[in-house]
Amino acid sequence: MINKPTLAVVGATGAVGTVMLELLTERDDVWGEIKLIASERSAGKKLMVRGKEVIVQALAPEVFDGVDVAMFDVPDEVSAIWAPIAAERGAIAVDNSGAFRMDPEVPLVVPEVNGEKTKDRPKGIISNPNCTTLSMIVVVGALHKKYGVTELIVSSYQAASGAGQSGIDTLEAQMNKVAGKELGHKAGDVREVVNDFGPFPAPLALNVIPWAGSLREDGYTSEELKVRNESRKILGISDLKVTATCVRVPVITTHSLTVVARFKNPVDVDAARNLLRNSEGVVVVDEPESKKFPTPADVVGTDPTWVGRIRASLDDPNTLTFFVCGDNLRKGAALNTAQIAELIAKEFN
């Protein structure tokens, strides 16, 4: 009889935690006991996991005793304190926050791209990338293995849920306010109707906002720098040229990106398309003649990264342009964390 490892889900009652519990029910049963952990105010709640009712425990050092793997979906400041505590208690911490992503002693892992890095964890912690990076990196990683990427120019179209539940609530409230209104043709009319911007610097309903994250001195936002720095670390290219512009769009869930990727070697677009069709975790929808390509409405609730509009550059034989979509709450957060944890679970068999 195989002894299955014990799993703890920290932040089990949050938005990503809820998706995580769904994934644990849907995916292969590689776990023994599953503990659900959250803040003191959520302790005592009962949640269903794999058809069983589990009582949520309050976050405390002793809850990690006997835990083999602990998946964290909590704010950065909480992970910064508690992931090391979990590791000290013997658990391998898989962290979905930004607390450890750029720590040189913590691997930043996407299983389809650099899954072997899960075994190199001197601090007992493995980090999960940002959801924007995750929405493109599986496709970029597959192309990189064959052609050798040298530069990425990226524009993101990020869903409201990337700003948390307040982002979702704000967009829904704004859409309800503008519904049925005679707004005319002036952009300013939306501002007259919508006066609560929530976590956004402008109305999101019927609008796009070229801003996500916090401002840096160089004019880029923190979200844009995450795309740059995380792509470098995941691909193992410390000097990879990356320029990103992050844009918030009025979509509830699923991030999209336009990617211009330059490679060391010439790229045949048909060969690249076939390579992606045969790549793990990628779905190709690319039929320009019939206007078939991925959109957030098609992708939401699914696990793979979807790619379309794959085009060879008209000016540079080493460059491809493509459009990708990925559910930011699944592959962009919960699923990648679960996949990392499952790789670790194999070490216990």
Side-chain angles (χ1 to χ4, degrees), residues 101-345:
R101 286 176 186 151
M102 300 316 298
D103 187 324
E105 294 187 290
V106 174
L108 185 64
V109 173
V110 180
E112 298 92 336
V113 181
N114 63 342
E116 71 283 356
K117 294 292 185 181
T118 56
K119 296 182 179 180
D120 181 19
R121 45 178 193 259
K123 290 187 174 181
I125 301 170
I126 299 170
S127 198
N128 196 52
N130 176 264
C131 54
T132 312
T133 307
L134 272 168
S135 296
M136 70 165 189
I137 203 67
V138 176
V139 169
V140 172
L143 294 169
H144 169 61
K145 287 177 182 178
K146 182 172 178 63
Y147 300 109
V149 68
T150 61
E151 182 175 7
L152 299 171
I153 301 173
V154 178
S155 292
S156 73
Y157 313 98
Q158 296 178 219
S161 56
Q165 188 62 46
S166 64
I168 297 172
D169 294 343
T170 296
L171 177 57
E172 290 180 342
Q174 290 180 359
M175 293 299 290
N176 287 333
K177 279 195 171 186
V178 301
K181 298 288 185 181
E182 295 292 337
L183 295 176
H185 302 289
K186 297 178 181 178
D189 291 342
V190 176
R191 285 185 178 269
E192 293 176 8
V193 176
V194 174
N195 50 28
D196 182 1
F197 299 167
F200 310 117
L204 188 57
L206 304 182
N207 202 16
V208 297
I209 305 170
W211 190 269
S214 56
L215 179 64
R216 288 170 39 95
E217 291 182 0
D218 53 19
Y220 286 87
T221 69
S222 57
E223 193 80 1
E224 291 159 352
L225 267 293
K226 287 176 186 177
V227 174
R228 179 177 187 263
N229 295 334
E230 293 175 16
S231 296
R232 288 177 162 190
K233 186 173 181 180
I234 294 163
L235 297 173
I237 310 172
S238 60
D239 59 350
L240 179 66
K241 296 178 181 179
V242 183
T243 302
T245 300
C246 291
V247 181
R248 194 74 69 179
V249 296
V251 169
I252 296 293
T253 302
T254 294
H255 290 349
S256 306
L257 299 96
T258 298
V259 180
V260 179
R262 292 194 177 97
F263 300 94
K264 295 177 182 177
N265 304 304
V267 182
D268 177 83
V269 68
D270 290 328
R273 193 179 286 114
N274 288 332
L275 182 154
L276 292 173
R277 285 197 180 104
N278 292 290
S279 295
E280 182 184 359
V282 177
V283 172
V284 176
V285 179
D286 193 25
E287 300 176 25
E289 300 84 1
S290 52
K291 296 187 176 70
K292 290 186 178 179
F293 37 74
T295 72
D298 307 309
V299 172
V300 64
T302 68
D303 290 340
T305 301
W306 297 56
V307 60
R309 298 298 319 280
I310 304 169
R311 291 155 286 157
S313 170
L314 299 177
D315 304 303
D316 181 358
N318 291 29
T319 298
L320 280 183
T321 299
F322 48 89
F323 184 78
V324 295
C325 292
D327 186 317
N328 55 296
L329 298 182
R330 290 181 75 89
K331 181 56 178 176
L335 176 61
N336 200 73
T337 307
Q339 289 175 304
I340 294 170
E342 288 166 3
L343 286 177
I344 300 166

